[in-house]
Amino acid sequence: MRHRSIPLAVPGRPAPRARTAGLLVVTLLTTTTAGLLPAGSSSAAARSDAPRAGTNAAGPALEIDLAADRQPISPHIYGMNFADEALADELDLPVRRWGGNATTRYHYRHDTSNRASDWFFENIAEANEDPDALPDGSTTDRFVEQDRRTGSDTILTVPLIGWVPKARDGSCGFSVTKYGAQQRTDEWRPDCGNGVRPDGTPVTGNDPLDTSVPAGGAYVRDWIGHLTSKYGTAAEGGVGFYNLDNEPDIWHSTHRDVHPLGAGSVELRDRAYEIGAAVKAADPGAATLGPVGWGWSSWDYSGLDQETCGRTGCWADPPDRAARDGLPFTTWYLQQMKRYEDEQDLRVLDYFDMHFYPQASGVAFGNGSDPATNALRLRSTRALWDPSYLDESWINTQVRLVPRMRELVAANYPGTKTAITEYNWGALDHINGALTQADILGIFGREGLDLATLWAPPSADQPGAYAFRMYRNYDGAGGRFGDIAVRAGSADRERLSVYAAERSTDGALTVMVVNKSGVEQTSTVSLRGRTAPHAQVHRYASTDPTSIVRLPDQPILVPPPYAGAPSGVLNHTFPADSVTLFVVEKPPPAVLPALSVRHRNMDWAPTDNQLKPVLLLDNVGAVPVPLSRLTLRYWFTREGGTAPINVWCDWAEIGCAKVSRRVVPLAVARTGADGYLEVGFPPEAGTLAVGAGTGPVKLRVSRADWAAFTETNDHSWVPAAPGYAANPRVTVHLDGVRIAGTEP
């Protein structure tokens, strides 16, 4: 078990709580919505129409667009710290981290860690069946070997602090015999104290050599040399990632027996230079992650700032500011890492890695017993992305963590990836925690985070594990959420959040919908760029917290064609406290209908007040097609007027009652058109058989004010002439997608 220290508080704010170890799915907007809904939304609780507990609500519209916002989702966002082998194997866990306070001071040759402030600053030997064989068979060797069995990439923590345990012994940093009486001692080893005298003052002047020996770049090179000799280099499938220590900006709290003063900016930079270069020397293909700050204060302040201002309240003018040219610590740190690469032609930092735990009371590592805290837990995931969300803790600002990380990297050290190697929103043993975790994983993918590892992972039977299963093994047969994110919008993310991705292996669309509202929500899901007869439905819900249920397939309706119509629509009721996954398979390659438009211009005066196109659609292909799936567009200019446009069907061989028509203005004018005349057909128009045609459809268009048109500059215009001729500038659309003709 890993015990977490309590970092020093920002002035006027409570100290952060201690931390203790531990296909596409799609939701879409309504079909009447022409564009995607915005990512943000107001709180349902603030609206007069917010649903009440125990009621069914008309849910927010959801919309998926396969063509928009496409970007890869890194598999490494689904990682964990210290996941057990059975769960890691079941999830095909992409990455697993060996981290935490105890890993800052670990000696691989002795297989011993110093537990620092977590447990009386004691050297504690790891359980080992054959210590005489060390360094073979160490805890870290076994950690890597498990990852090799489960196919997980490994993150190990290497020390920057400069000290590791001196032996496989039980020595401690604050011996009562050597340094006097202390407030607390280890009940099993009473000579080991907590480093605080009975009067509350800290023990000072202790000797780091009581527990530790110096360790720098040479130690790290030796350790990685041991690992590569056994498991190969990163490029050969060995250890792929190394954390540059763990939360070094609070060494003065967690490891004060060897580092009582806060680490300054220059020290943190220079240690990263030394150890990062040592990693690259030992394994050039391995990736490094830093500065691994403990949380929000780490963005602006060095350890020296945090230690000093925690005592004196100097936050407005921290002592280490001048050493970094007045910049926030992380900005300066990234600039310094870039400077090193520019000067040394060696990148020693690959991932910008910061820990983040929600600081609102009861959220991180909390349980699911309090409804108000549960609501806050679900709401507070907005700190990961939402620029309109004011963090509801002492942080009290717009965090937008993942976009902030990406922007900081882009501005100061382009090419660096982003990582959050510790986070925890709590209640993983409760459905509330599972909903929150499912939301977090969706956010990580949508926002483009590169790597994340959950601290204190759930056990396999806890709800939090099912949140991961929904993304990594929803069907028990390795079914996964997609790896190419696409646009997913919700009219109210406080009630229903939605994430969508295409699966590159088979082209399936996967859509994940998290109902956070506490009541049923019935919503319309609109799909753009994908339709199918049905979608698979997989659900995890509070009604059955021990399994993911495969529900009957959901029919997908194809709406009548109109401007902005989605490709498919489904209406679905999302139960309270549920995570629902839709999987829409990619249809097999279809034989598209081949269609040709013949056109005759009946208007012999191209500058009068009417357009008189006659259109005829022929099926020249090999498959019949329902006319209701087809539309024609005749592109023209409305001469900049704002007057309404009237359209008449003067005569049609199939009957004007079976012909729809309207004029659609363009939001942005194009050369030769600022709108188009759209001709469609209702279901009763029937099917256009192979070799058949609609026959002529004679149309007439005028402005309501009867002002003149100038047709000669219209995209679809051709001079009046006897008979019909093919016109490739009249376009044909199948289910709203152009399949013939050329647009302006």
Side-chain angles (χ1 to χ4, degrees):
M1 176 178 289
R2 174 194 183 200
H3 298 272
R4 304 290 304 164
S5 63
I6 302 178
L8 296 175
V10 175
R13 301 168 181 167
R17 293 177 59 86
R19 310 194 296 276
T20 306
L23 303 170
L24 282 178
V25 177
V26 179
T27 305
L28 300 178
L29 301 177
T30 58
T31 58
T32 58
T33 304
L36 287 172
L37 296 175
S41 64
S42 61
S43 170
R47 302 191 316 269
S48 60
D49 65 339
R52 294 174 294 176
T55 65
N56 180 280
L62 306 174
E63 182 168 294
I64 309 304
D65 189 340
L66 268 75
D69 300 340
R70 294 177 65 88
Q71 65 174 3
I73 295 176
S74 168
H76 287 132
I77 64 172
Y78 305 111
M80 296 179 180
N81 287 262
F82 297 106
D84 68 52
E85 185 165 357
L87 182 59
D89 187 54
E90 180 190 353
L91 297 175
D92 194 14
L93 194 72
V95 63
R96 192 170 70 116
R97 176 177 179 257
W98 182 81
N101 291 341
T103 64
T104 288
R105 285 155 67 192
Y106 168 82
H107 201 308
Y108 79 100
R109 290 191 177 276
H110 305 313
D111 198 19
T112 297
S113 63
N114 187 284
R115 302 306 169 89
S117 62
D118 289 347
W119 195 255
F120 298 100
F121 304 92
E122 294 179 20
N123 283 353
I124 296 180
E126 302 290 342
N128 194 300
E129 294 181 355
D130 187 8
D132 291 337
L134 290 170
D136 290 334
S138 68
T139 298
T140 47
D141 278 10
R142 298 196 303 272
F143 191 95
V144 175
E145 288 162 4
Q146 174 184 312
D147 289 344
R148 290 168 69 85
R149 290 192 296 271
T150 62
S152 306
D153 290 332
T154 301
I155 304 174
L156 294 182
T157 301
V158 291
L160 272 65
I161 198 169
W163 301 97
V164 292
K166 65 182 182 180
R168 190 173 171 83
D169 65 4
S171 58
C172 51
F174 297 106
S175 164
V176 173
T177 300
K178 188 171 183 178
Y179 300 112
Q182 294 165 52
Q183 282 185 339
R184 294 178 57 238
T185 60
D186 182 349
E187 61 181 301
W188 294 284
R189 300 167 69 182
D191 189 50
C192 295
N194 68 346
V196 181
R197 297 187 179 95
D199 64 2
T201 60
V203 174
T204 58
N206 65 296
D207 187 354
L209 295 174
D210 290 346
T211 60
S212 304
V213 292
Y219 168 84
V220 170
R221 288 192 295 274
D222 287 347
W223 185 14
I224 297 178
H226 163 77
L227 293 167
T228 56
S229 69
K230 294 192 69 173
Y231 309 116
T233 64
E236 296 166 338
V239 177
F241 301 90
Y242 293 94
N243 255 140
L244 298 178
D245 214 290
N246 177 78
E247 302 179 356
D249 56 315
I250 55 171
W251 284 336
H252 57 275
S253 173
T254 52
H255 294 273
R256 60 186 175 84
D257 59 323
V258 296
H259 203 294
L261 300 179
S265 300
V266 171
E267 178 186 359
L268 292 170
R269 176 198 67 188
D270 290 350
R271 295 283 180 91
Y273 286 171
E274 177 191 4
I275 303 306
V279 171
K280 297 296 183 176
D283 188 350
T288 55
L289 304 89
V292 206
W294 77 264
W296 184 245
S297 298
S298 312
W299 283 73
D300 290 341
Y301 303 108
S302 69
L304 177 58
D305 291 332
Q306 294 180 59
E307 186 265 327
T308 305
C309 297
R311 290 184 288 103
T312 67
C314 61
W315 300 100
D317 187 22
D320 206 24
R321 175 180 288 170
R324 54 180 184 267
D325 305 319
L327 294 171
F329 173 72
T330 48
T331 302
W332 178 85
Y333 177 88
L334 287 168
Q335 290 178 358
Q336 295 297 299
M337 295 298 111
K338 182 179 186 302
R339 177 183 173 184
Y340 184 92
E341 182 180 5
D342 291 343
E343 294 177 351
Q344 304 296 325
D345 195 27
L346 177 67
R347 176 183 272 272
V348 294
L349 181 76
D350 299 291
Y351 283 76
F352 175 51
D353 178 14
M354 297 292 281
H355 295 171
F356 188 80
Y357 292 89
Q359 296 295 296
S361 178
V363 176
F365 301 102
N367 58 45
S369 62
D370 177 56
T373 303
N374 289 348
L376 174 58
R377 178 174 291 112
L378 289 167
R379 198 165 62 240
S380 64
T381 62
R382 292 168 60 190
L384 292 169
W385 67 275
D386 189 351
S388 71
Y389 179 69
L390 188 70
D391 192 89
E392 298 172 74
S393 73
W394 58 262
I395 293 175
N396 194 36
T397 192
Q398 292 83 5
V399 174
R400 46 188 303 274
L401 189 74
V402 179
R404 185 185 295 268
M405 295 181 82
R406 296 183 66 188
E407 290 163 7
L408 193 69
V409 162
N412 297 286
Y413 196 5
T416 306
K417 295 183 178 181
T418 54
I420 303 172
T421 54
E422 287 188 26
Y423 71 94
N424 186 297
W425 253 257
L428 292 170
D429 60 348
H430 190 277
I431 185 64
N432 179 256
L435 299 177
T436 305
Q437 186 62 47
D439 200 34
I440 289 168
L441 295 175
I443 291 167
F444 285 165
R446 185 191 68 206
E447 298 298 323
L449 187 69
D450 294 301
L451 186 149
T453 49
L454 172 69
W455 181 262
S459 60
D461 61 346
Q462 288 182 324
Y466 286 92
F468 280 86
R469 289 185 178 102
M470 288 295 286
Y471 286 89
R472 298 291 301 172
N473 190 16
Y474 59 80
D475 58 359
R480 296 182 186 173
F481 189 69
D483 55 339
I484 303 170
V486 301
R487 183 178 295 176
S490 171
D492 188 344
R493 291 186 183 273
E494 288 293 276
R495 289 193 280 163
L496 295 182
S497 58
V498 57
Y499 308 96
E502 192 171 30
R503 203 160 53 201
S504 60
T505 54
D506 61 0
L509 171 66
T510 58
V511 178
M512 197 77 71
V513 182
V514 184
N515 184 352
K516 303 181 288 185
S517 69
V519 298
E520 282 187 350
Q521 301 281 332
T522 299
S523 291
T524 298
V525 181
S526 302
L527 306 177
R528 298 186 182 278
R530 171 65 54 82
T531 190
H534 54 78
Q536 296 178 21
V537 184
H538 303 263
R539 175 168 294 138
Y540 181 69
S542 58
T543 52
D544 185 0
T546 63
S547 65
I548 295 170
V549 178
R550 170 71 187 272
L551 299 172
D553 289 351
Q554 167 79 48
I556 298 175
L557 305 177
V558 177
Y562 59 86
S567 306
V569 174
L570 57 89
N571 296 304
H572 195 83
T573 297
F574 300 95
D577 300 331
S578 66
V579 184
T580 301
L581 175 69
F582 299 108
V583 181
V584 184
E585 295 180 354
K586 184 177 182 179
V591 180
L592 292 175
L595 301 165
S596 175
V597 177
R598 286 184 286 160
H599 169 216
R600 179 181 180 186
N601 180 6
M602 298 291 290
D603 184 10
W604 293 83
T607 58
D608 64 8
N609 59 11
Q610 295 187 72
L611 313 179
K612 297 179 180 179
V614 184
L615 302 176
L616 192 157
L617 181 62
D618 295 313
N619 186 347
V620 296
V623 294
V625 58
L627 279 167
S628 61
R629 299 180 63 191
L630 302 174
T631 52
L632 310 178
R633 292 179 184 176
Y634 179 95
W635 301 81
F636 70 101
T637 53
R638 296 169 301 137
E639 313 306 331
T642 58
I645 304 292
N646 295 322
V647 184
W648 295 271
C649 174
D650 287 337
W651 181 81
E653 185 173 306
I654 64 173
C656 283
K658 296 181 180 179
V659 177
S660 64
R661 59 272 182 194
R662 63 173 186 156
V663 170
V664 180
L666 296 177
V668 178
R670 308 178 192 178
T671 302
D674 62 6
Y676 54 83
L677 165 62
E678 183 175 78
V679 179
F681 308 92
E684 52 268 27
T687 296
L688 190 61
V690 174
T694 59
V697 177
K698 186 176 181 180
L699 303 160
R700 185 161 45 92
V701 180
S702 75
R703 292 173 53 172
D705 60 5
W706 292 97
F709 292 105
T710 299
E711 298 182 59
T712 52
N713 61 357
D714 290 351
H715 176 74
S716 298
W717 180 82
V718 294
Y724 294 91
N727 186 345
R729 294 191 301 276
V730 177
T731 56
V732 184
H733 300 256
L734 175 70
D735 299 331
V737 177
R738 180 170 56 87
I739 60 170
T742 303
E743 293 185 354

